[in-house]
Amino acid sequence: MSSREWIPSRGERVPLWGVVLVLAAVVGFAVYSFIGTFVLGVFIYYGVRPVFRRLDRVLPETAAAILTLLLTALPFFAVAGYFALMGFHELLPRLRSYQALLQPYVNVDALLQQPVDEFVAYLQNPSRYSVTSIIDQAQRFFGLFSSILMNLVLATLFAFYLLKDGKRLREWFAGFAGDGSATYAYATAVDRDLETMYFSTVLMVFVIAVAAEVVYHGYNMLAPHALGIPFPTVLAVATGLAALIPLVVGKIVYLPLVGYLGYTAATTPELSLLFPVGLLVVCFLFLDFIPMTFVLPEIAGRGTHVGLVMFAYIVGSMVFGWYGLFLGPLVLVLSVQAVRILLKPLVFGDEVTGDVNTAEDMGADPP
């Protein structure tokens, strides 16, 4: 009897199942411990996969994966980091002015205690500060920075291997589940929806953040100093991040901003309302109407219901924290495709064929 014909007995299957379950528990614990990193890696993978597929036509898989990340993910992190540093640089000098307003929500004193400031203060008055306290504070900031960097590196590596070996993984899954099975149809529909959602999200955040940076700084060049935007880079980043949530887009940022500027102009006789009104028109056109009406439909195509996506981003962030921005849409896509393909035949006891049998217009179809 060959090894292919050997079938384990009932007594042997129990310990084998035990090994499989123990290994599954260990892997599940590892994924749970780094769930934010893995979800961010999935987001990066789907966000850059359309670029990878174009490069994969002319380059080997490894070279295409490396070049894709070099051209997309790494510059995106670099620009986001630069925007964050510039925004913090703009915000830091003004934090003390807004301390009474922010103190119930943010520890302003902790934000203002920077290692550089402590070091300068030590040079000016050595008897007041100790080198040990400065080193301890610098180590805390270094620990936070290294933790963020490690998570970004791990997420990028995870996305790299998904890009590099994605074709083999799909072939293995098709052979394991059967390319005509309901499981394969469900997984393929989820795969298509995630690419559409994440890729369109990456583009929209980047486009709107850059456009907001241009609009806010351009406004400050034209408007009187009294009607200037206080920290334009911070608000530009916030406007771009607001694009994560459909329908909301930049309204949550530029409407309060215009209201504040309009109130300042209305209560100051020598100032004109023309500048806040002009800013409102420009923001509505270039940060809201044109991206949502013309850009998003072109890059998103047919996707999940916009209202459901909005709740996925909001509720995901409230329930899971920062990585809920990426995990919420993932759970939504998995749930919507389960309803479209699996739920009805399971409830009524019919054969699960992998065909879409309800909510035909709410997501991508399997091949």
Side-chain angles (χ1 to χ4, degrees), residues 132-367:
T132 304
S133 63
I134 297 174
I135 294 176
D136 290 341
Q137 190 171 11
Q139 286 177 342
R140 288 196 296 270
F141 276 84
F142 178 76
L144 176 62
F145 174 77
S146 61
S147 175
I148 295 173
L149 183 62
M150 182 192 70
N151 281 279
L152 287 178
V153 170
L154 288 177
T156 305
L157 284 175
F158 183 54
F160 167 75
Y161 283 107
L162 286 178
L163 292 171
K164 176 177 174 291
D165 300 319
K167 188 181 299 182
R168 284 182 286 274
L169 286 173
R170 286 189 292 272
E171 291 174 353
W172 170 82
F173 186 77
F176 176 78
D179 56 5
S181 65
T183 302
Y184 182 75
Y186 171 72
T188 306
V190 168
D191 180 71
R192 291 181 170 184
D193 261 350
L194 288 177
E195 179 177 324
T196 299
M197 184 179 298
Y198 285 155
F199 181 64
S200 60
T201 297
V202 169
L203 281 183
M204 287 297 294
V205 169
F206 182 77
V207 168
I208 292 180
V210 172
E213 179 81 355
V214 174
V215 169
Y216 295 158
H217 281 280
Y219 171 85
N220 276 355
M221 293 176 62
L222 300 174
H225 179 72
L227 283 179
I229 297 175
F231 18 86
T233 303
V234 175
L235 295 176
V237 174
T239 306
L241 292 176
L244 287 169
I245 306 174
L247 298 181
V248 173
V249 201
K251 298 182 185 71
I252 196 173
V253 178
Y254 74 75
L255 286 181
L257 173 62
V258 170
Y260 163 75
L261 296 176
Y263 175 79
T264 302
T267 55
T268 307
E270 63 271 15
L271 297 179
S272 171
L273 283 170
L274 180 63
F275 290 99
V277 172
L279 177 63
L280 176 62
V281 173
V282 172
C283 288
F284 175 74
L285 288 177
F286 293 99
L287 306 183
D288 196 335
F289 178 75
I290 292 177
M292 292 300 295
T293 306
F294 301 103
V295 179
L296 184 59
E298 288 296 325
I299 61 179
R302 183 185 181 196
T304 309
H305 189 272
V306 174
L308 290 178
V309 176
M310 180 179 65
F311 281 108
Y313 279 114
I314 296 174
V315 176
S317 302
M318 294 174 63
V319 174
F320 301 110
W322 67 267
Y323 60 86
L325 281 174
F326 315 115
L327 184 58
L330 174 61
V331 174
L332 171 67
V333 169
L334 290 169
S335 303
V336 168
Q337 291 295 352
V339 171
R340 299 178 74 236
I341 298 174
L342 306 177
L343 183 61
K344 185 175 179 180
L346 290 176
V347 169
F348 291 98
D350 300 331
E351 180 183 0
V352 184
T353 61
D355 296 330
V356 177
N357 45 65
T358 186
E360 290 84 356
D361 297 329
M362 288 189 62
D365 294 333

Side-chain angles (χ1 to χ4, degrees), residues 8-23:
S9 63
R10 183 180 297 273
E12 291 173 311
R13 293 176 69 89
V14 173
L16 291 176
W17 267 112
V19 171
V20 171
L21 292 176
V22 169
L23 291 175

